[in-house]
Amino acid sequence: MARLKDDAQWIVLMGFIVSFSLFFLALVLNQSTVIGQTTAESVSEFPKDDIRGIRSLMIQDAYLDTTDANNIRYDIQTLAMSRQNAVVSFWNTSTSTSTETFTTGEILYNNGVLIYKEEWTARE
Amino acid sequence: MVNTDGQLYTIEGLAASLILLLTAFLVVNTTSVFTLGDTHISDMQLETTGNDALAMMDHAVNATPSGTIGKSPLRQIVEVPDSANRTLFVQMFDNITNNRSIGRDRIQFSANFSYAHGTAMMPSSTPVNMTTPLGSSRFLTGGEHAVRATRWLIADVGDPPGTMASARERAVLVEVYLWRD
């Protein structure tokens, strides 16, 4: 019986390697298209502008007179609950030393998915 | 004598064809999902455009030498939402969002604002008025794929808006629905 020539085994092995690398490249390409979608979705779902808007009002509220500040506090809580499905709460206090006055505030925002908490301080 | 060497070649051939088939499937599958991702990206951009436009309109002019601080155009419109001011809102918002170096964009919008009635101090017992229109470039029929842009501001809004007697500082939420047609 003639001996089997085994040179072809190298060709088959190379074929395997090439096809496997193609397979993994295709897998990477397949996943990469979903990335744009999921990123845009998570950006759209994150209430960045809601929080920024509400935060700016809460800080403005600290510098209004007492009647307006109280009115606007309840306005913000009412509107946030009914129009943005968010429970919000905030406190502003003013502390004075002999030389300086500090205004500090605490902001709480919760829309069921995201909880945001902030403390801020400003020197007058 | 029967030779069994051929079996090895058959198994290799089968394995290679399976791998090629899977690769071809993945490649074809890859090209077909592009439109899905694109939809959400343009939604995100439209929302940002709307929020930026509202932020620009809520920018007050500089204080005068005598020290009086001007109100932003958006605040003036919200405080007196008569037909002249609603037209002003539509023109302003339309120009900011649809401005391009060549031609105009096709963004359409419908805007309104909400505020809390009365002086009730409990959030749960205060009804919200959300029906004051600020004008629209086209009527919202429900078939549009709209996104929402919002802006919070403090304004001397009466109840109903424009009534001087009941005007006090209120938190107002301006909401704009935007879509491309």
Side-chain angles (χ1 to χ4, degrees):
Chain A
M1 197 184 92
R3 276 182 62 90
L4 188 70
K5 264 177 75 101
D6 56 2
D7 290 345
Q9 289 198 349
W10 281 109
I11 301 171
V12 171
L13 197 65
M14 288 303 137
F16 260 115
I17 291 169
V18 168
S19 54
F20 266 115
S21 53
L22 268 176
F23 179 81
F24 282 110
L25 276 178
L27 204 69
V28 168
L29 262 178
N30 192 22
Q31 291 302 305
S32 70
T33 50
V34 194
I35 286 172
Q37 183 193 357
T38 44
T39 310
E41 272 175 359
S42 51
V43 169
S44 302
E45 278 164 20
F46 184 80
K48 182 187 79 174
D49 288 294
D50 291 357
I51 292 176
R52 280 174 67 176
I54 234 164
R55 176 183 182 276
S56 117
L57 236 62
M58 287 168 176
I59 291 174
Q60 284 177 53
D61 190 75
Y63 299 96
L64 296 171
D65 63 61
T66 319
T67 318
D68 285 338
N70 280 334
N71 280 336
I72 281 168
R73 171 191 310 275
Y74 292 110
D75 281 356
I76 292 172
Q77 287 175 345
T78 309
L79 280 175
M81 209 181 286
S82 65
R83 300 301 299 154
Q84 295 185 328
N85 296 319
V87 180
V88 297
S89 190
F90 64 104
W91 305 267
N92 297 315
T93 45
S94 193
T95 8
S96 301
T97 64
S98 55
T99 49
E100 292 161 324
T101 304
F102 291 96
T103 307
T104 54
E106 195 171 343
I107 295 170
L108 292 168
Y109 175 99
N110 185 343
N111 71 354
V113 179
L114 182 108
I115 297 171
Y116 176 82
K117 188 172 184 287
E118 180 186 337
E119 282 173 55
W120 61 274
T121 306
R123 198 177 77 175
E124 281 169 35
Chain B
M1 187 186 163
V2 178
N3 195 335
T4 55
D5 289 340
Q7 289 190 352
L8 197 66
Y9 290 116
T10 312
I11 292 167
E12 279 181 4
L14 273 177
S17 64
L18 270 179
I19 290 167
L20 277 171
L21 210 67
L22 262 173
T23 310
F25 171 74
L26 278 172
V27 168
V28 172
N29 206 15
T30 299
T31 49
S32 63
V33 294
F34 268 112
T35 44
L36 250 177
D38 280 355
T39 318
H40 288 277
I41 290 168
S42 64
D43 279 355
M44 186 182 73
Q45 288 169 338
L46 193 60
E47 202 179 317
T48 308
T49 306
N51 277 315
D52 286 352
L54 287 174
M56 281 169 76
M57 290 170 70
D58 193 22
H59 213 84
V61 291
N62 286 340
T64 56
S66 60
T68 38
I69 298 164
K71 292 175 178 177
S72 71
L74 188 62
R75 183 172 170 176
Q76 290 175 28
I77 291 167
V78 162
E79 285 179 358
V80 190
D82 56 8
S83 63
N85 271 344
R86 289 207 299 269
T87 314
L88 187 69
F89 179 87
V90 172
Q91 282 173 352
M92 218 172 185
F93 196 83
D94 185 53
N95 279 332
I96 293 172
T97 49
N98 285 313
N99 216 358
R100 282 206 305 206
S101 49
I102 300 169
R104 285 178 75 77
D105 209 343
R106 300 169 286 108
I107 296 173
Q108 309 293 337
F109 59 91
S110 176
N112 69 313
F113 70 87
S114 332
Y115 64 93
H117 274 306
T119 50
M121 286 298 176
M122 283 295 290
S124 55
S125 64
T126 317
V128 169
N129 182 322
M130 42 182 247
T131 52
T132 318
L134 279 175
S136 58
S137 66
R138 207 164 278 190
F139 289 113
L140 193 65
T141 57
E144 297 86 0
H145 186 72
V147 296
R148 194 180 69 145
T150 56
R151 182 79 188 172
W152 285 89
L153 63 155
I154 295 177
D156 295 324
V157 179
D159 184 19
T163 315
M164 277 305 139
S166 60
R168 63 165 172 90
E169 297 263 16
R170 278 175 212 274
V172 176
L173 181 67
V174 177
E175 292 174 77
V176 185
Y177 291 92
L178 298 111
W179 68 95
R180 276 201 175 84
D181 64 1

